[in-house]
Amino acid sequence: LALEKRVLSNYFGNIAFAYEDYGYPYCLGVTIFNTGISCPRDYSEEEIERIEKTEDNLPATNEKNQPNILFLQLESFFDPTLVNYLKISEDPIPTFRKLMKEYSSGYYKVPAVGAGTANTEFESITGMSLHYFGPGEYPYKSVLLDKTFESIPYDLKEIGYSTHVIHNHRGVFYNRNQVFKNLGFDDFTSIEYMNDIEKTPKNWAKDSILTDQIMTALNITDSKDYIYTISVEGHGKYPTEQVIQNPEIEVTKAPSEEKKWQYEYYVNMIHSMDKFIKELTDSLSQFDEDVVLVMYGDHLPALDMTEDEMESGSLYNTQYVIWSNFGMTKEDKDLYAYQIGAEVLDRLGIHEGTLVTYHQNYSDSKSYKKNLRALGYDMLYGKQYVYQGKVWQPTDMQMGMKKISIDKIVQIGEKRYIKGHNFTQYSYVTLDGVKLDTTYLSPTLLALEEDVDPEASDRLKVSQIEKYDEILSTTE
């Protein structure tokens, strides 16, 4: 009765807000016991076969001259002029707004608000809706920890693509270092594998570092590339006092003094992100291969907005643009996050994969969402009738695009130096898995700051260790 009267909800767009709205006992109980996708009443091999085969009229994939396919997920990025009560001294996102006018664009319907980056990510990479999972569930923290799931990376690998994921934040956040190998990625470059990192006043990495990372991914392989990039610069929590002195953009009207400073910080962060978008698209414009770049916000920022304050009337709408460095017809439409991959691949003549071809075939069907749920159950929790014995294996995912290696260890005086390649400020000398006191000097040089038994020298390795001391990778 409470669910029917909307006193309670069985979908949480933001689990922290849900605990405030519906109380601890209900939220704790429902998140413990209601997980995964429940079994459909008519679940059977015949039903899954019927869902797959009805009116399948897609042409064969055109595998020739396919472009590199890039997805850029922008942290908390949206158009703040869509907030009814807000006034700003100038447009904070002129590049993104210009691209929306010139290229295919629309609202991007995401499964989260204020937080939940990994769930928008999950939908965009896999084509499966979070609405069929338990309230507040993160598949990255549950089923995907030990189970593979067919995804766009897996599908594109079938036609020769290399698959990369890039994120300028901690590799272990949302268990990404474990999950991405179950989603078909060849390598994962997190902040621990990056150098020259600039930080925001709230200590998040700036997104400008991602341009070089994306260009490296495009150049490091001979094959076509699928690159999924996750930005972090626009992340909250947004300060309630003035942090940026002499800001480039000012908020001239807000409901309160605290809101003014929160929004002023936020609009200046996304203005910086907008400059990064221009830098990236300028670089890709000069790239000598065809590239499609899909950009969108992962969710609205955590600024306590309400639906009636939003021009779109929803807290689950960000915006997207499909940019390319070659001619693509502009076609505007609103899309769910779980539809974007299939939509882009359809426009490129790529028809591969269970969920990709399902969306391309049946998005106008009356039973579209019901059957999507059934496929999701079969693929993740059921008997996988859809695969008829085929098993998706975890990839042998490499952490970092560039392999970290040791050339030699030299001793000068009483100190040892490790010479090698692709070291970062997160590189530490380790002995039998134990972190040793290390000073980063350059991408090719580390200094070992403690004594080690000379007989143990051949067991010294270099490990990438994140800030809470979890080892992400170690040299061979």
Side-chain angles (χ1 to χ4, degrees), residues 170-190:
R170 296 168 56 222
V172 303
F173 199 50
Y174 284 121
N175 304 308
R176 287 183 173 104
N177 62 317
Q178 300 176 61
V179 167
F180 283 148
K181 64 184 178 183
N182 291 329
L183 288 176
F185 286 101
D186 294 327
D187 52 67
F188 172 29
T189 302
S190 59

Side-chain angles (χ1 to χ4, degrees), residues 80-81 83-90 249-264 267:
T81 66
V83 181
N84 296 332
Y85 57 71
L86 199 64
K87 289 189 178 179
I88 308 168
S89 62
E90 64 179 85
I249 298 176
E250 296 180 352
V251 169
T252 57
K253 182 182 178 182
S256 66
E257 188 77 2
E258 288 187 350
K259 282 282 190 186
K260 169 185 166 66
W261 299 128
Q262 285 186 306
Y263 271 106
E264 192 160 281
V267 296

Side-chain angles (χ1 to χ4, degrees), residues 264-280:
E264 192 160 281
Y265 179 88
Y266 171 74
V267 296
N268 280 278
M269 291 305 101
I270 63 168
H271 187 51
S272 175
M273 295 167 73
D274 191 71
K275 292 177 182 178
F276 151 63
I277 291 170
K278 185 176 189 311
E279 179 186 77
L280 176 61

Side-chain angles (χ1 to χ4, degrees), residues 159-296:
I159 58 171
Y161 276 74
S162 297
T163 57
H164 319 267
V165 60
I166 300 168
H167 184 31
N168 53 339
H169 192 48
R170 296 168 56 222
V172 303
F173 199 50
Y174 284 121
N175 304 308
R176 287 183 173 104
N177 62 317
Q178 300 176 61
V179 167
F180 283 148
K181 64 184 178 183
N182 291 329
L183 288 176
F185 286 101
D186 294 327
D187 52 67
F188 172 29
T189 302
S190 59
I191 197 170
E192 291 86 3
Y193 298 83
M194 301 178 188
N195 279 313
D196 303 319
I197 302 159
E198 290 186 66
K199 296 292 186 74
T200 70
K202 298 300 287 183
N203 207 38
W204 299 99
K206 291 189 175 182
D207 289 342
S208 56
I209 195 172
L210 297 172
T211 299
D212 284 344
Q213 297 294 326
I214 291 169
M215 299 310 295
T216 296
L218 287 169
N219 285 302
I220 208 165
T221 63
D222 294 327
S223 62
K224 296 299 183 183
D225 296 292
Y226 169 88
I227 306 169
Y228 197 96
T229 304
I230 308 143
S231 100
V232 79
E233 184 170 353
H235 207 292
K237 194 174 183 180
Y238 308 107
T240 55
E241 67 284 333
Q242 187 174 17
V243 169
I244 304 174
Q245 303 298 324
N246 302 314
E248 191 170 345
I249 298 176
E250 296 180 352
V251 169
T252 57
K253 182 182 178 182
S256 66
E257 188 77 2
E258 288 187 350
K259 282 282 190 186
K260 169 185 166 66
W261 299 128
Q262 285 186 306
Y263 271 106
E264 192 160 281
Y265 179 88
Y266 171 74
V267 296
N268 280 278
M269 291 305 101
I270 63 168
H271 187 51
S272 175
M273 295 167 73
D274 191 71
K275 292 177 182 178
F276 151 63
I277 291 170
K278 185 176 189 311
E279 179 186 77
L280 176 61
T281 50
D282 284 349
S283 296
L284 293 173
S285 295
Q286 303 301 314
F287 191 60
D288 59 2
E289 296 177 14
D290 287 347
V291 174
V292 173
L293 171 63
V294 188
M295 298 173 279
Y296 45 82

Side-chain angles (χ1 to χ4, degrees), residues 352-402:
E352 299 289 328
T354 304
L355 294 182
V356 167
T357 54
Y358 176 76
H359 289 303
Q360 291 173 349
N361 265 314
Y362 308 127
S363 60
D364 295 329
S365 167
K366 290 182 180 179
S367 54
Y368 169 56
K369 292 186 177 181
K370 172 180 175 290
N371 291 341
L372 176 61
R373 175 178 171 271
L375 286 173
Y377 173 81
D378 181 62
M379 295 163 70
L380 267 178
Y381 302 97
K383 297 184 178 181
Q384 298 189 325
Y385 294 128
V386 73
Y387 297 127
Q388 298 180 351
K390 179 176 180 178
V391 178
W392 295 96
Q393 296 295 333
T395 56
D396 184 18
M397 187 180 75
Q398 176 178 297
M399 290 299 296
M401 284 176 279
K402 297 179 179 179

Side-chain angles (χ1 to χ4, degrees), residues 14-133:
N14 183 309
I15 195 167
F17 295 167
Y19 269 79
E20 291 180 0
D21 293 341
Y22 309 123
Y24 179 81
Y26 172 71
C27 290
L28 179 65
V30 78
T31 53
I32 288 175
F33 298 109
N34 185 0
T35 60
I37 303 173
S38 59
C39 181
R41 292 181 181 179
D42 55 354
Y43 177 64
S44 66
E45 185 173 6
E46 293 74 23
E47 177 63 11
I48 295 300
E49 185 176 346
R50 182 196 65 78
I51 292 171
E52 271 207 294
K53 301 301 181 184
T54 305
E55 299 177 5
D56 187 347
N57 55 8
L58 295 173
T61 292
N62 173 18
E63 296 186 24
K64 294 182 179 179
N65 301 318
Q66 286 296 349
N68 299 285
I69 300 170
L70 281 56
F71 280 71
L72 173 58
Q73 182 168 290
L74 297 159
E75 172 63 44
S76 300
F77 190 91
F78 91 116
D79 180 1
T81 66
L82 298 177
V83 181
N84 296 332
Y85 57 71
L86 199 64
K87 289 189 178 179
I88 308 168
S89 62
E90 64 179 85
D91 185 3
I93 55 168
T95 301
F96 194 83
R97 193 179 310 284
K98 181 174 182 287
L99 296 180
M100 286 191 69
K101 291 178 180 177
E102 296 175 355
Y103 297 89
S104 299
S105 62
Y107 280 120
Y108 198 63
K109 300 171 184 291
V110 299
V113 57
T117 295
N119 279 349
T120 299
E121 194 174 307
F122 169 81
E123 288 200 350
S124 304
I125 291 171
T126 66
M128 178 50 58
S129 171
L130 258 295
H131 279 269
Y132 309 130
F133 289 80

